[in-house]
Amino acid sequence: MKIIRAKDYKDMSRKAANIISAQVIMKPDAVLGLATGGTPVGTYAQLVEWHKKGDIDFSGVTTINLDEYRGLPRGHKQSYWHFMQVHFFQHINIREDHIFVPDGSNLDKEEACLEYDRIIQRVGGIDLQLLGIGMDGHIGFNEPGEVFKLGTHCVTLTESTIEANMRFFHNREDVPRQAYTMGIQAIMQAGKVLMIVNGEHKAQIIQRAFAGVVTPKIPASILQLHPNFILIGDEAALSKMDM
Ligand code: PGA
């Protein structure tokens, strides 16, 4: 596990974008595992800027997003599909048929999850997985539990996740209660895992996840076992890590 200290959010975003662009330069047909949330917005903005300058070509890249709300179709303003379009895909030269996000409009849980696992297999797995971390230690929507769930699965969101995601909706009732998420296996099999984190509110969960025991009660803790895991945090988020 490699920990990289960033000065602030902007610095964190630039460092993450640098690693992602290096991946795409080294392997133009790379498979990137991507994340939504507030944390990666600056990383995507930086990649878009470099793309517009002609520095990164996404024409051969495939993307596999971590998760999607169950019940929200692509067109829905709060869907993660929409989020990715607005913050990233609309601004780069990625092929539409190279973009994958779990199908939130498919209410058949089993079918939706199996289909996503088939897609991950078909593209040959993930070269670089970008991750944020939830306040409860979730990665994607792998919420705390008794076991690590390996494949893509449907989750019922925890109260703390619903609380955290409320800011994107008009009110609490509008936040979907369930989501489809990539499982721990596809994340752990990624060639490289890059987690970005900022803010003092994340300092405690970062300490629990990466300076404590590996447990499904803190899903991110399993990344301690990944052979190529990079954590980029700003000063505030890393303030409780002894280093
Ligand atoms: P955030 O979410 O980037 O909006 O803090 C991270 C996550 O829940 O994985």
Side-chain angles (χ1 to χ4, degrees), residues 35-40 67 131-135 138-141 161 164-165 167-168 196 198 201-202:
T36 52
T39 315
D67 45 20
L131 292 177
I133 185 170
M135 295 292 289
H138 70 212
I139 46 178
F141 271 136
T161 300
N165 289 2
R167 65 193 198 275
F168 299 112
I196 49 177
N198 70 292
H201 63 297
K202 296 273 177 80

Side-chain angles (χ1 to χ4, degrees), residues 81-211:
W81 173 273
H82 184 77
F83 176 100
M84 290 307 299
Q85 292 295 334
V86 169
H87 291 285
F88 197 34
F89 298 147
Q90 269 174 11
H91 313 285
I92 59 172
N93 64 334
I94 189 164
R95 283 173 48 168
E96 176 96 17
D97 62 340
H98 281 188
I99 296 172
F100 298 99
V101 177
D103 182 3
S105 69
N106 187 353
L107 296 180
D108 183 334
K109 299 176 192 178
E110 206 169 319
E111 187 187 80
C113 295
L114 274 176
E115 174 59 15
Y116 209 56
D117 280 337
R118 266 187 231 118
I119 290 170
I120 296 169
Q121 249 192 351
R122 202 171 68 223
V123 301
I126 296 161
D127 291 303
L128 185 155
Q129 176 65 53
L130 179 66
L131 292 177
I133 185 170
M135 295 292 289
D136 57 3
H138 70 212
I139 46 178
F141 271 136
N142 288 275
E143 298 281 25
E146 296 306 314
V147 290
F148 290 109
K149 295 231 176 91
L150 297 182
T152 300
H153 55 285
C154 180
V155 287
T156 298
L157 305 183
T158 62
E159 284 307 308
S160 92
T161 300
I162 291 169
E163 203 68 37
N165 289 2
M166 231 172 77
R167 65 193 198 275
F168 299 112
F169 292 82
H170 288 304
N171 53 54
R172 200 173 206 288
E173 282 59 54
D174 293 340
V175 186
R177 286 342 196 218
Q178 290 192 316
Y180 295 132
T181 184
M182 190 191 285
I184 292 298
Q185 185 167 14
I187 296 172
M188 287 300 282
Q189 285 178 347
K192 189 176 278 156
V193 176
L194 174 60
M195 176 177 279
I196 49 177
V197 61
N198 70 292
E200 213 214 312
H201 63 297
K202 296 273 177 80
Q204 188 170 7
I205 191 63
I206 287 294
Q207 182 192 36
R208 290 179 58 217
F210 303 120

Side-chain angles (χ1 to χ4, degrees), residues 223-243:
L223 296 169
Q224 293 182 43
L225 306 178
H226 192 282
N228 201 352
F229 170 50
I230 306 168
L231 171 66
I232 306 180
D234 71 351
E235 295 286 350
L238 296 182
S239 59
K240 291 189 196 303
M241 289 296 278
D242 242 354
M243 48 187 282

